[in-house]
Amino acid sequence: MRGKRFRLFAAGTLALSLIAAACGDDDDGGGGGGGGATASGECDQLDAVTLQLQWFIQAQFAGYFAVQDQGFYADQCLDVTIAEGSVDIVPQQQLADGVADFAIAWVPKALATREAGANIVDIAQVFQRSGTLQVSFAQDGITTPADFAGKTVGNWGFGNEYEVFAALTEAGLDPAADVTLVQQDFDMSGLLAGDIDAAEAMTYNEYAQVLEAVNPDTGELYQPADFNVISYEEVGVGMLQDAIWADGERLESDDAYRDVAVRFVTASLQGWAYCRDNVEACRDLVVAQGSKLGDSHQLWQMNEINKLIWPAANGIGFIDQAAWDRTAEIAQNTANLEGTTVLTAPPDAGAFTNDIVTEALANLEELGVDTTGESFQPIEVTLEEGGA
């Protein structure tokens, strides 16, 4: 027998509110629901669920760890195993192969897997904006994609390069002739060593790495003024990134799985609302999970991740048609060095659905969770050397 679907009753809400008031709350409060003080129905049993992350443990995934810590998954009658990612793990393929029940993946990568035959569906678009940058030293004068001409431009490959190629195409540059493209490591060593003129970076990770490095000319940490940063979101080629993907066939044929999906998205988004309002607590959770990156780096990352999520005009996780269409169009029209595109045809209408997230948002609003974050303000973060 599967766990009962979440229901909210006014009397239960009142009773739990009184309990919460009597017991107090050590957190900063906020729209995350506050320490698991929810009003979910009793569970016959917990439904076992596996979530596949797309990378190593870091604040990019803090919301999901917050859900576990705050008991939001258990409140939704779920027992969730979070599987760490790595360079060799393709999360959407893990989903397609039945290894995971849900996966976190960038939209263009997952759409390529879907076009190859995997019936996977975007059910919640957590990141509303792209966090991809191209970073260069200010002295090199690279301020627009057109300035990549004649330069050595780094990217990570593995599907992370699509926005780089899109920017080159938009600037009228031939990736095979007008620039020197190199695959960089998942750090900023190539830029700092002078081997790469413009390095790919995420706002929440690699950009922080250069600001955590010591400038040999000053003996102090590098400052933002030492670098030029091109945001692919700002130049119009940003593509949708972290989303929750589900098994399309199971959504259509298995009512129990669809029910689990609604509860899973409800709890997951509640975790992200909690991290919006409890930035340092979520940093601590990620560090405690064994992240290889330090405290100040993870606090920076949590703060930057929040900027990619909030504010969410239509509610966190809601898939914006215009942003989806832009991602799909870029994926169809941007060629790589071999002349092939990410997608050969527009994704079909079943590639995403707002049905699951709409139900989840209704659940969260009944719980009193702020799902839009209209008043969200990032915090100020001071980075330490090496991100310590």
Side-chain angles (χ1 to χ4, degrees):
M1 182 181 296
R2 60 186 173 83
K4 293 181 181 178
R5 186 175 176 178
F6 162 84
R7 291 289 187 269
L8 179 69
F9 297 96
T13 303
L14 176 60
L16 285 168
S17 297
L18 292 173
I19 293 171
C23 295
D25 186 358
D26 294 332
D27 291 316
D28 295 331
T38 63
S40 58
E42 295 181 358
C43 304
D44 297 323
Q45 67 179 40
L46 298 181
D47 292 315
V49 171
T50 297
L51 170 66
Q52 177 63 62
L53 304 182
Q54 64 178 342
W55 196 239
F56 299 104
I57 293 171
Q58 57 184 11
Q60 179 182 0
F61 313 111
Y64 309 106
F65 292 111
V67 181
Q68 284 189 323
D69 180 74
Q70 295 297 302
F72 300 151
Y73 283 137
D75 289 341
Q76 296 294 332
C77 302
L78 298 174
D79 178 14
V80 177
T81 297
I82 300 177
E84 186 175 17
S86 71
V87 177
D88 300 326
I89 291 176
V90 180
Q92 65 271 22
Q93 193 61 54
Q94 296 286 93
L95 171 64
D97 291 342
V99 177
D101 298 292
F102 302 99
I104 308 302
W106 285 15
V107 170
K109 299 181 190 181
L111 286 179
T113 302
R114 180 179 172 89
E115 186 175 80
N119 187 355
I120 56 175
V121 180
D122 183 348
I123 60 171
Q125 188 60 51
V126 179
F127 286 13
Q128 300 286 303
R129 291 162 280 279
S130 168
T132 312
L133 309 173
Q134 211 72 24
V135 181
S136 59
F137 279 103
Q139 65 196 32
D140 291 334
I142 303 172
T143 60
T144 71
D147 297 326
F148 291 157
K151 304 295 185 180
T152 300
V153 178
N155 70 83
W156 300 305
F158 298 100
N160 298 293
E161 73 278 11
Y162 301 150
E163 289 164 309
V164 180
F165 282 97
L168 291 168
T169 301
E170 285 287 310
L173 298 175
D174 181 351
D178 296 331
V179 299
T180 300
L181 289 170
V182 297
Q183 185 167 342
Q184 68 184 67
D185 292 332
F186 288 95
D187 58 35
M188 300 301 276
S189 59
L191 176 70
L192 294 173
D195 298 326
I196 296 174
D197 296 315
E200 189 172 16
M202 301 306 296
T203 57
Y204 51 82
N205 197 352
E206 291 78 18
Y207 181 51
Q209 291 178 23
V210 297
L211 300 177
E212 296 161 356
V214 174
N215 182 343
D217 294 334
T218 66
E220 304 291 336
L221 296 185
Y222 281 110
Q223 298 300 307
D226 295 320
F227 302 97
N228 285 329
V229 174
I230 296 173
S231 163
Y232 289 127
E233 181 74 17
E234 292 179 3
V235 300
V237 295
M239 304 173 82
L240 289 173
Q241 298 181 343
D242 289 33
I244 299 174
W245 293 78
D247 185 312
E249 182 177 352
R250 293 173 70 189
L251 284 178
E252 293 176 3
S253 63
D254 185 348
D255 289 340
Y257 177 75
R258 188 188 185 285
D259 180 71
V260 166
V262 172
R263 289 185 277 130
F264 177 78
V265 172
T266 297
S268 296
L269 300 185
Q270 188 176 9
W272 284 114
Y274 175 84
C275 285
R276 177 195 63 214
D277 301 329
N278 299 273
V279 181
E280 292 187 357
C282 284
R283 180 274 311 275
D284 293 342
L285 282 174
V286 173
V287 171
Q289 286 290 330
S291 168
K292 297 177 177 63
L293 304 171
D295 283 21
S296 73
H297 186 99
Q298 290 294 4
L299 187 61
W300 172 284
Q301 185 166 134
M302 186 68 256
N303 193 42
E304 294 299 319
I305 291 295
N306 275 333
K307 294 178 186 178
L308 300 181
I309 300 172
W310 311 103
N314 296 311
I316 177 176
F318 192 87
I319 304 161
D320 177 71
Q321 186 70 57
W324 178 272
D325 290 344
R326 180 177 72 172
T327 299
E329 181 180 358
I330 293 171
Q332 294 169 73
N333 297 325
T334 300
N336 60 18
L337 287 175
E338 289 74 38
T340 61
T341 58
V342 180
L343 300 178
T344 62
D348 63 276
F352 83 86
T353 177
N354 275 317
D355 292 348
I356 302 295
V357 73
T358 297
E359 291 188 42
L361 290 171
N363 288 342
L364 292 173
E365 289 184 10
E366 290 188 68
L367 280 170
V369 176
D370 174 8
T371 60
T372 62
E374 290 182 5
S375 61
F376 164 72
Q377 293 293 328
I379 66 172
E380 294 292 330
V381 178
T382 299
L383 288 168
E384 303 293 338
E385 183 176 348

